[in-house]
Amino acid sequence: MEANKLFQYNTLGALMAGLYGGSLTVGELLQHGDLGIGTLDSIDGELIVLDGKAYQAKGSSQQPEVIEVEPDVMVPYAAVIFHQAEVIFKQRFEMTHEELQKRIESYYDGENLFRSIKIHGHFSKMHVRMIPKSTSDKKFAEVASHQPEFSIEDVTGTIVGFWTPEIFHGVSVAGYHLHFISDDHSFGGHVLDYVITQGVVEVGAVDQLDQRFPVQDRQYLFAKFNAKEVREDMEKVE
Ligand SMILES: [Zn+2]
């Protein structure tokens, strides 16, 4: 059986340290997975990968905006997988995101494997944020402290993303990292909280982590990271 491989390009730590320049094309990223998350060049919004297509949720104007991303667009950070559901369950009654997360975790075999998550359903509330485009002289934690947030009611769409075990905090953020896109592609972003009314939840186990580095990016290669600060910033923003 083929291993379920989580492909991660670059690390959140590099983003925290201000390396926002994209160095992998979306076209190449999509060769490694059909579901996932990330951000775009100059941290211009949230990347959502669903059914092999890439979308960008921008919050730079008053209205949230979602557009499909062309294959030549560059990303500084992303994580994707060819999602394979190991557990599928129907959520038939209303739950808050905390309640649904507990239910999802009740299906995990232990807590030491990454999971891929896909939830298609109807949400009575969906609250998201989008990281606004920025230059590298502004620290991620600083940019993140005033991100646009949007909340809508009664929306049908899909949540995609990953759950990271506590022992791998640093490689990624421990716990859930989820992005949302509505079925009509008019609303999306990084999920903060939600209330699901009904839906289908898919949980996939990850067998293997393929961690790629931007090996041709001089900025990354010679960056002096302040590891303590990076860790503190990750706690703050995710
Ligand atoms: Zn995110």
Side-chain angles (χ1 to χ4, degrees):
M1 217 173 80
E2 191 79 38
N4 289 341
K5 203 187 288 177
L6 168 58
F7 176 89
Q8 181 167 258
Y9 184 71
N10 213 340
T11 62
L12 275 172
L15 273 190
M16 297 300 144
L19 301 182
Y20 305 151
S23 46
L24 180 79
T25 66
V26 163
E28 208 185 327
L29 178 71
L30 293 178
Q31 290 174 13
H32 299 280
D34 56 8
L35 173 144
I37 51 153
T39 186
L40 293 107
D41 188 49
S42 306
I43 54 170
D44 187 10
E46 308 290 332
L47 180 75
I48 302 138
V49 176
L50 173 64
D51 299 330
K53 286 188 177 154
Y55 304 90
Q56 176 183 22
K58 289 205 231 185
S60 30
S61 58
Q62 299 292 40
Q63 290 295 317
E65 190 192 352
V66 178
I67 55 170
E68 200 174 327
V69 183
E70 297 297 325
D72 59 342
V73 170
M74 304 284 256
V75 296
Y77 170 79
V80 294
I81 193 168
F82 287 108
H83 170 71
Q84 284 188 52
E86 186 183 56
V87 173
I88 301 177
F89 67 87
K90 275 190 183 158
Q91 182 58 38
R92 298 174 192 274
F93 56 92
E94 189 169 279
M95 269 192 180
T96 64
H97 76 282
E98 288 106 337
E99 290 167 333
L100 185 61
Q101 285 177 2
K102 279 214 186 82
R103 186 168 184 205
I104 290 172
E105 285 157 36
S106 74
Y107 291 101
Y108 291 180
D109 303 313
E111 46 191 41
N112 300 321
L113 293 181
F114 286 76
R115 311 278 161 177
S116 59
I117 312 267
K118 183 178 184 181
I119 306 167
H120 182 259
H122 182 264
F123 302 85
S124 56
K125 183 197 172 193
M126 177 56 68
H127 180 199
V128 299
R129 65 154 167 81
M130 301 84 160
I131 192 85
K133 189 174 180 178
S134 184
T135 48
S136 57
D137 54 315
K138 277 206 195 110
K139 277 184 60 187
F140 193 93
E142 191 188 313
V143 181
S145 65
H146 31 79
Q147 305 184 72
E149 291 180 16
F150 295 96
S151 190
I152 54 168
E153 289 173 4
D154 286 320
V155 63
T156 302
T158 310
I159 290 174
V160 294
F162 300 97
W163 181 87
T164 297
E166 194 71 47
I167 48 159
F168 295 113
H169 183 68
V171 175
S172 182
V173 180
Y176 294 90
H177 187 171
L178 304 171
H179 289 185
F180 175 77
I181 184 166
S182 64
D183 277 1
D184 65 5
H185 297 173
S186 67
F187 186 85
H190 175 105
V191 173
L192 293 173
D193 57 88
Y194 59 84
V195 177
I196 189 168
T197 43
Q198 54 164 315
V200 174
V201 180
E202 298 181 21
V203 183
V206 174
D207 304 320
Q208 198 175 330
L209 174 64
D210 182 355
Q211 172 64 57
R212 298 290 173 99
F213 301 99
V215 293
Q216 292 178 317
D217 182 355
R218 292 179 62 102
Q219 259 204 318
Y220 175 81
L221 294 173
F222 298 104
K224 295 277 183 222
F225 294 115
N226 180 336
K228 188 168 165 271
E229 211 173 85
V230 164
R231 241 168 267 139
E232 284 167 3
D233 286 351
M234 273 172 86
E235 302 293 332
K236 257 186 262 168
V237 302
E238 294 296 334

